[in-house]
Amino acid sequence: MSFFDVLQRGDEFILNDRPQQSRWWNVLSHATCLAAVGSSKLIISLFYNLNLKGLENLDRSLAKARAENRGFVTVMNHMSVCDDPFLWACLPWRYYASLDDIRWGLAAKNICFVSKSSSTFFSLGKLFACERFGRGPFQGGLDALVRVLSPDDTLDTDHIFQGLNESKPIASSLVDNVKSFYSPKYTPPILRYKSSWVHIFPEGYVCQLKPPHNNSMRFFRWGTARLILEPTVAPVVVPIFSDGFEKVAPEAKSDDLVDSILPQGIGSTITVNIGRAIEDRVIEAFRAEWRALCDKYHDRSNPNDLTPELKFGKEAQNLRSRVCAYLRERVAELRLENGFAPEDPRLASQKFWSEYTKTEGQSAPDIQFVGYNWAIRAYQKNVSSYDEHGNEVSK
C-alpha cells in the first residue's frame, strides 16, 4: 500500500540528479553500466573460478515480474566492497541488453556521492544515495526505490492509500491530488519500458567476520521492508547468497592503496547462489498487515502520507522487523547450501548488533571483524548524526 506523498518525494529525489525522460541520459547510463560490468567480467574470467547456481530461478522470477507488471527485488549478503559490480559480472551478457534490465540500488552517500563527478558517475550507474548512521529508513533514496518499484500505470487510487473506511471528502481530496499530479501532462522521472529491478544489500555495511563466524551476516536493516510493503503492487522477491568476493577484496588489506586497487586471492572460487522467489502468499500476507496498519493509524486530516505511528510505532516497527527477519532466513538457507556451518543465532538480532557497535565489540569479544566494523561512525568520514526520528543534529 503506497502513499501519495511518498511516491511524490520519490519522484522529486530521482529528479534531483537525473534529467527527466532524457534519452541521452539513458544512453550514457547504459554505457556506464556496461563498462563496469565488462571490466568486472574481465577480472573474474582471468583470475577467478565462478560457480553460479540457480540462474534458472532468476530467469523464471524476472520473467514472472515482467509478465505481471510487478517490481523485482533481489536481496543479498554484503561481504565485500566489490559485491557490486562484480556480482553482475557473474550473470550472462543477455541481462544487460536493455537498460531496463539493469538493477537499481543504493550506495553510501558519504563515500559515493561526495563530489559532482562521483555523484554523476554513480547516478549513471543507477544508484541512489543512502545516508547511514542514524538517518533511518525514511529518506529520499528509499522513497525513490519505492517509486521505482511502482509501475507507472499503477499510480491511481486503486493502489494509493485513500483513507479506507473513511468519509468521501477525504478520499475525494486524495483523488484530486492524484489526478493533478499524475495528469496526462505528468512525465515520470525515468524513461522505462518495463517494470524495474531493485537490488539491495540489507545489512547496510560490508560484513567480514573472522572464523568461526566467517561468511555470517548482520541483521537486515528495516528500510528493506519498505521495498516489500510500500510499492503500489507487490514485488517479486528473490534471495541471493554469495561467497568469494571477500577474497577478491579482503577488508584486512583495504588500508594498503595497492591492495585496495588490485584484486586479491587469485585463483579463488566465487559462488553465487540464487534462490527461488519468495512465495507470493507470504509477501501478500505482510502487505495485508501493512494495509491494516495504514487504515488504523493514518491521519484523517492528511491521509496522503505516513504518520509518526506508521514510521516509529511499535506495531509498524515490529512488522518491518519480521519482514526483514524472514528475508534474512531465506538468504541464510542459501548460505547453508554453500557449505557453511549454521550461524551463531545472536547475529540475526538487531539488539545484539546495536550493543556490539555501541561498545565497539566489547559486548561480544568472541566475534571479531576482518578489518573494521564499518557501522561504527568514527571510522567513516563525511557523515552526519541524527536523532531517533532521523533529523540531522550534527556533522
Side-chain angles (χ1 to χ4, degrees):
M1 176 60 67
S2 296
F3 282 84
F4 169 78
D5 286 358
V6 171
L7 297 174
Q8 186 175 22
R9 286 195 296 270
D11 269 5
E12 293 167 352
F13 189 90
I14 294 169
L15 291 174
N16 278 340
D17 55 4
R18 286 174 173 78
Q20 189 166 342
Q21 291 281 15
S22 169
R23 295 182 184 276
W24 279 112
W25 178 272
N26 275 16
V27 170
L28 290 173
S29 179
H30 200 182
T32 300
C33 294
L34 290 178
V37 170
S39 58
S40 301
K41 276 184 173 291
L42 180 62
I43 293 172
I44 287 180
S45 63
L46 289 176
F47 301 118
Y48 300 98
N49 302 306
L50 175 61
N51 179 20
L52 178 61
K53 302 190 292 185
L55 182 62
E56 68 281 1
N57 294 328
L58 192 65
D59 288 338
R60 186 184 309 114
S61 301
L62 183 57
K64 172 183 172 68
R66 293 285 165 68
E68 297 176 1
N69 192 34
R70 297 162 61 186
F72 185 62
V73 177
T74 46
V75 295
M76 193 182 92
N77 62 312
H78 202 4
M79 284 296 301
S80 168
V81 295
C82 73
D83 286 344
D84 191 320
F86 276 38
L87 168 65
W88 312 114
C90 300
L91 301 182
W93 272 114
R94 57 186 167 83
Y95 273 89
Y96 310 105
S98 165
L99 182 62
D100 284 336
D101 292 330
I102 298 174
R103 63 88 189 96
W104 293 89
L106 296 175
K109 181 178 180 179
N110 67 300
I111 297 173
C112 300
F113 292 82
V114 294
S115 67
K116 180 63 176 178
S117 58
S118 66
S119 297
T120 299
F121 174 78
F122 286 104
S123 293
L124 287 169
K126 298 185 70 174
L127 294 170
F128 297 120
C130 179
E131 297 180 75
R132 303 180 295 182
F133 306 101
R135 180 64 175 83
F138 303 101
Q139 54 176 288
L142 284 159
D143 290 341
L145 290 185
V146 170
R147 174 63 184 90
V148 162
L149 287 169
S150 301
D152 296 330
D153 58 359
T154 62
L155 302 178
D156 54 49
T157 52
D158 290 335
H159 298 90
I160 299 176
F161 185 80
Q162 51 180 310
L164 303 181
N165 301 322
E166 292 289 353
S167 61
K168 289 184 180 180
I170 292 180
S172 297
S173 173
L174 178 69
V175 171
D176 291 340
N177 285 338
V178 172
K179 286 182 177 179
S180 64
F181 188 71
Y182 297 115
S183 67
K185 297 180 180 179
Y186 165 72
T187 304
I190 55 175
L191 182 66
R192 61 179 174 182
Y193 304 96
K194 304 175 185 177
S195 57
S196 295
W197 177 352
V198 166
H199 180 80
I200 195 162
F201 299 100
E203 295 166 89
Y205 306 90
V206 168
C207 181
Q208 289 186 20
L209 299 177
K210 294 181 179 179
H213 305 290
N214 53 297
N215 297 86
S216 293
M217 298 178 286
R218 301 177 191 261
F219 79 103
F220 279 14
R221 303 184 73 82
W222 296 348
T224 306
R226 294 193 62 198
L227 309 184
I228 309 302
L229 302 174
E230 294 186 41
T232 52
V233 292
V236 176
V237 185
V238 170
I240 302 174
F241 184 87
S242 71
D243 66 81
F245 292 128
E246 75 282 3
K247 299 172 184 175
V248 178
E251 284 290 305
K253 299 181 180 181
S254 60
D255 288 336
D256 186 297
L257 180 61
V258 175
D259 284 343
S260 65
I261 294 175
L262 297 178
Q264 307 298 305
I266 304 300
S268 300
T269 296
I270 295 170
T271 301
V272 176
N273 189 358
I274 304 169
R276 295 182 179 179
I278 294 173
E279 294 183 30
D280 286 346
R281 63 175 180 81
V282 174
I283 300 299
E284 288 293 358
F286 284 133
R287 286 173 61 90
E289 287 190 60
W290 173 243
R291 284 193 294 270
L293 289 178
C294 293
D295 190 28
K296 182 177 181 180
Y297 291 117
H298 74 275
D299 183 350
R300 285 180 52 87
S301 63
N302 178 24
N304 303 344
D305 204 355
L306 296 164
T307 61
E309 189 66 36
L310 290 173
K311 289 182 177 181
F312 311 113
K314 290 184 178 180
E315 290 176 79
Q317 288 187 337
N318 176 266
L319 174 57
R320 293 189 189 95
S321 178
R322 285 187 288 111
V323 170
C324 289
Y326 184 86
L327 295 176
R328 192 185 185 283
E329 288 173 5
R330 302 289 76 79
V331 177
E333 289 171 356
L334 300 174
R335 178 183 177 276
L336 295 177
E337 290 181 10
N338 280 22
F340 294 99
E343 292 180 299
D344 187 316
R346 292 176 294 174
L347 301 181
S349 167
Q350 182 271 336
K351 290 183 178 179
F352 168 82
W353 281 110
S354 177
E355 184 65 18
Y356 184 91
T357 297
K358 184 187 304 180
T359 63
E360 298 192 10
Q362 296 305 306
S363 61
D366 59 310
I367 296 175
Q368 297 186 8
F369 272 81
V370 175
Y372 295 110
N373 173 9
W374 290 114
I376 296 176
R377 184 181 185 276
Y379 293 156
Q380 299 206 25
K381 300 178 180 179
N382 306 313
V383 294
S384 300
S385 292
Y386 301 89
D387 63 21
E388 61 180 357
H389 291 156
N391 299 310
E392 185 173 352
V393 294
S394 69
K395 193 77 171 178

